[in-house]
């Protein structure tokens, strides 16, 4: 049996936050909007799960999740949007990109020799 050496998590992109739309005098609409926003946040707390895993995981843990302007669907088929996502991901993982240090550490762990017993 070979022990697990690391845990890597690959996200679909972390949305760049923008200010919520102003609804003016429609306070009831604003309350509904804020309630729905809270429900969605509670259901999609992947960053909080990431922070918890990073703190508690007994093995190296890596999270790869580039910032993007829009959240694509998991069934995205637009060639232009897919090319855009590919460019964002490539820049994120590039040797001079935001995830470069984590990519290097992950590769070092994956490529180190392992002891074979028995």
């Amino acid at each position: 049996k070979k022990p697990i050496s690391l845990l890597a998590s690959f996200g679909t992109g972390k949305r760049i936050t923008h200010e919520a739309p102003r609804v003016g005098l429609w306070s009831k609409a604003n309350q509904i909007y804020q309630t729905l926003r809270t429900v969605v946040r509670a259901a999609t707390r992947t960053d909080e799960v990431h922070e918890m895993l990073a703190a508690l995981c007994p093995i190296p843990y890596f999270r790869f999740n580039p910032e993007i302007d829009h959240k694509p669907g998991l069934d995205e088929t637009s060639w232009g949007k897919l090319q855009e996502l590919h460019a964002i991901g490539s820049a994120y993982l590039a040797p001079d990109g935001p995830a470069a240090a984590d990519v290097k550490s992950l590769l070092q762990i994956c490529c180190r020799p392992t002891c074979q017993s028995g």
Side-chain angles (χ1 to χ4, degrees):
K1 293 182 181 180
K2 185 176 179 182
I4 296 173
S5 300
L6 63 89
L7 178 61
S9 172
F10 298 87
T12 57
K14 181 174 25 172
R15 193 156 185 205
I16 299 171
T17 56
H18 299 284
E19 191 173 319
R22 303 209 186 275
V23 290
L25 299 175
W26 297 353
S27 62
K28 190 69 172 172
N30 188 34
Q31 289 174 352
I32 292 170
Y33 171 78
Q34 294 301 330
T35 301
L36 289 173
R37 189 172 167 197
T38 300
V39 169
V40 169
R41 278 190 185 152
T44 58
R45 294 185 197 186
T46 55
D47 286 332
E48 289 178 27
V49 171
H50 157 66
E51 290 171 13
M52 180 188 68
L53 279 172
L56 301 175
C57 194
I59 58 176
Y61 172 74
F62 302 94
R63 172 75 173 161
F64 299 98
N65 202 23
E67 288 189 349
I68 57 174
D69 234 356
H70 62 284
K71 192 74 169 176
L74 292 177
D75 58 349
E76 183 62 68
T77 58
S78 164
W79 185 247
K81 288 182 182 179
L82 291 172
Q83 285 180 315
E84 179 186 345
L85 292 171
H86 180 269
I88 291 168
S90 294
Y92 179 76
L93 297 171
D96 61 344
D102 283 344
V103 170
K104 183 178 179 182
S105 296
L106 184 142
L107 289 173
Q108 287 173 339
I109 294 168
C110 289
C111 296
R112 69 179 165 209
T114 59
C115 296
Q116 301 262 339
S117 62

